[in-house]
């Protein structure tokens, strides 16, 4: 696929570079001066902003949004509906040295469905960020993040829990955590493990 291709399946701005041997799903849009490198797979209905570099061999699910100035390196895997805020940073080598080749030592990073990575945060490689977790702007993630966790600071610490709609979960009078927007109910089923009782985290949202 040549740079600037605007097929009926997806849109790539003429200033972008789409290498050979990539798969891009229908409805995806790729904006100015972004580069999709060989072997990468991008799902459908994604929004890829300006100055984004993807791959080589990246795996990006459906409905993913990547804001300006983000690089998705080999070893980084983004599940459906992940949101990458502007200028956030992934890494893939834990202890880089220019004199020592380390490309055989990449540490994978997996970001699970629906998680949000705030503007300018950094993810130190080798971690899994749980589904619908919310990483605050500027945080530095060094360890695995639980599903629905709200993570802030440097290094990031859990400051609470958030629901699928991105609101902080606070217990109501009956002790249940209910999202003020959706009414979905959540519970800490065992210490450090939160589940949505209303809808499985992999199920699509009901149509509005
Ligand atoms: C995390 C965020 C969503 C706030 O969530 P919230 O549920 O409203 O959380 P609160 O504001 O109640 O903050 C909870 C605690 O975390 C702290 N906190 C919130 N965001 C923080 C951040 N980015 N860095 C450091 N601390 C932060 C608050 O000071 C508060 O601390 P306290 O309990 O000691 O007072 C918001 O601050 C944020 O960072 N959003 C990301 C915006 C972004 O990057 N958008 C990208 C698209 S443009």
């Amino acid at each position: 696929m040549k740079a600037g291709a605007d097929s009926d399946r997806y849109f790539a701005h003429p200033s972008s570079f789409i290498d050979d041997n990539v798969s891009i799903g229908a409805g995806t849009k790729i904006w100015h001066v972004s580069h999709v490198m060989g072997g990468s797979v991008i799902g459908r209905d994604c929004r890829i902003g300006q100055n984004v570099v993807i791959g080589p061999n990246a795996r990006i699910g459906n409905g993913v949004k990547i804001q300006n100035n983000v690089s998705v390196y080999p070893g980084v895997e983004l599940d459906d509906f992940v949101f990458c805020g502007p200028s956030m940073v992934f890494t893939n080598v834990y202890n880089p040295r220019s004199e020592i080749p380390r490309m055989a030592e990449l540490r994978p990073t997996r970001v699970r469905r629906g998680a949000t990575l705030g503007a300018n945060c950094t993810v130190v490689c080798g971690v899994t960020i749980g589904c619908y977790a919310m990483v605050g702007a500027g945080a530095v993630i060094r360890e695995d993040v639980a599903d629905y966790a709200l993570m802030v600071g440097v290094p990031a610490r859990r400051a609470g829990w958030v629901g699928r709609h991105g609101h902080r979960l606070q217990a109501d009078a009956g002790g249940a955590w209910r999202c003020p927007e959706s009414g979905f109910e959540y519970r800490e089923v065992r210490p450090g493990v939160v589940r949505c009782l209303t809808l499985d985290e992999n199920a699509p949202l009901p149509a509005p």
Side-chain angles (χ1 to χ4, degrees), residues 18 49 53 57 63 73 76 85 88 100 109 127 133 146 150 180 186 189:
I18 313 296
V53 179
N57 303 316
Y73 298 117
V76 176
M88 61 78 49
I100 300 169
T109 294
V127 301
L150 168 64
Y186 296 83
V189 292

Side-chain angles (χ1 to χ4, degrees), residues 67 83 85-86 117-119 134-139 150-153 159 162 166-168:
Q67 305 295 91
F83 182 99
L117 308 175
M134 173 82 68
V135 175
L150 168 64
M151 304 295 294
V152 296
V162 285
H167 300 289
R168 190 107 173 256

Side-chain angles (χ1 to χ4, degrees), residues 166-183:
H167 300 289
R168 190 107 173 256
L169 297 171
Q170 315 267 14
D172 65 16
W177 291 344
R178 206 173 284 282
C179 167
E181 182 175 343
S182 63

